[in-house]
């Protein structure tokens, strides 16, 4: 059963994820959100995302990997570590 504390924790996590994703450019953010299913009912494959952008799945993978590398900094990891 969810408590007010759990709800506050979830809201706070969503805010931090949004803040961290906001450090990416719009395309990187959109690709990561679609790939991980953030803000949509289910995640999309690289090929499905590629169709949206008229790009190959390989190019989408490259953009995704660069975006994840940009998020993989100590400062950004520390923002989200407290939620683990």
């Amino acid at each position: 059963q969810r408590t007010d504390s759990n709800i506050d924790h979830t809201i706070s996590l969503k805010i931090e994820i949004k803040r961290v994703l906001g450090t990416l450019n719009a395309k990187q953010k959109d690709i990561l959100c679609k790939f991980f299913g953030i803000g949509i009912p289910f995640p999309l494959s690289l090929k499905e995302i590629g169709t949206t952008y008229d790009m190959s799945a390989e190019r989408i993978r490259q953009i995704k990997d660069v975006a994840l590398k940009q998020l993989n900094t100590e400062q950004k990891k520390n923002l989200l570590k407290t939620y683990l």
Side-chain angles (χ1 to χ4, degrees):
Q1 186 175 17
R2 296 190 89 173
T3 64
D4 287 342
S5 176
N6 288 342
I7 292 170
D8 291 343
H9 184 78
T10 301
I11 291 169
S12 182
L13 175 59
K14 286 180 181 181
I15 290 169
E16 291 302 328
I17 290 172
K18 195 175 214 177
R19 186 183 328 187
V20 169
L21 288 173
T23 64
L24 301 172
N25 70 42
K27 186 180 287 184
Q28 291 172 323
K29 179 182 174 183
D30 187 56
I31 288 171
L32 285 186
C33 287
K34 288 178 178 177
F35 184 77
F36 290 107
I38 299 170
I40 59 175
F42 53 87
L44 300 177
S45 70
L46 294 173
K47 185 176 180 180
E48 291 169 324
I49 299 168
T51 301
T52 303
Y53 283 100
D54 195 28
M55 294 181 181
S56 69
E58 176 60 18
R59 182 64 186 131
I60 296 299
R61 185 198 61 75
Q62 292 169 354
I63 294 168
K64 175 188 68 78
D65 289 350
V66 167
L68 288 174
K69 187 174 181 178
Q70 288 178 352
L71 294 180
N72 194 18
T73 65
E74 279 307 309
Q75 180 185 14
K76 291 174 185 167
K77 284 193 278 188
N78 286 336
L79 284 173
L80 300 174
K81 256 184 197 176
T82 57
Y83 298 95
L84 298 175

